[in-house]
Amino acid sequence: QVQLVESGGGLVQAGGSLRLSCVVSGSRFSVPFLAWYRQAPGKQRDLVASISSGWSTNYADSVKGRFTISRDKTMNVGYLEMNSLKPEDTAVYYCNSRISSRDYWGQGTQVTVSS
């Protein structure tokens, strides 16, 4: 009964910052991979950033240099630090985890950037 819960979304002005959190619970196995996706109205869900065991990271070109993905040493809590936010960053942000070759998703958290 794996559950992912995101938090930290909200309304922020352009140029501001937010920090999203993702808590993974209920897994009988380790959590080797964590990723953040986002979906704006009328658009597909796209990968924003990912982090694997060994702390190897990957970022979408649109957020590179502004966003930072990380996880704590328990491997069950992930973060997305978002800086220099732009109106085009407005979307629902989802946490994703691959556990034992299966994908799990959180319910999403809304991020709205005003101009």
Side-chain angles (χ1 to χ4, degrees):
Q1 198 169 351
V2 177
Q3 185 177 27
L4 279 65
V5 179
E6 304 99 333
S7 62
L11 175 65
V12 64
Q13 293 184 355
S17 299
L18 285 173
R19 189 193 192 200
L20 306 183
S21 298
C22 173
V23 179
V24 183
S25 62
S27 177
R28 300 180 65 179
F29 306 96
S30 62
V31 184
F33 180 85
L34 192 72
W36 289 93
Y37 288 74
R38 67 185 181 186
Q39 186 170 24
K43 297 185 177 180
Q44 65 180 8
R45 186 176 298 185
D46 292 326
L47 176 67
V48 177
S50 64
I51 185 167
S52 65
S53 60
W55 275 253
S56 178
T57 59
N58 182 58
Y59 296 92
D61 288 340
S62 59
V63 306
K64 194 173 299 182
R66 299 188 297 119
F67 291 11
T68 302
I69 188 171
S70 63
R71 63 195 303 175
D72 69 6
K73 63 180 182 179
T74 70
M75 302 181 67
N76 291 316
V77 184
Y79 306 94
L80 184 68
E81 181 73 31
M82 304 183 293
N83 299 308
S84 301
L85 283 162
K86 305 174 181 179
E88 48 264 45
D89 294 318
T90 296
V92 178
Y93 284 70
Y94 296 90
C95 183
N96 164 263
S97 182
R98 290 183 61 84
I99 305 172
S100 190
S101 300
R102 297 181 62 184
D103 283 319
Y104 297 89
W105 295 89
Q107 83 289 344
T109 185
Q110 176 70 47
V111 172
T112 302
V113 184
S114 62
S115 60

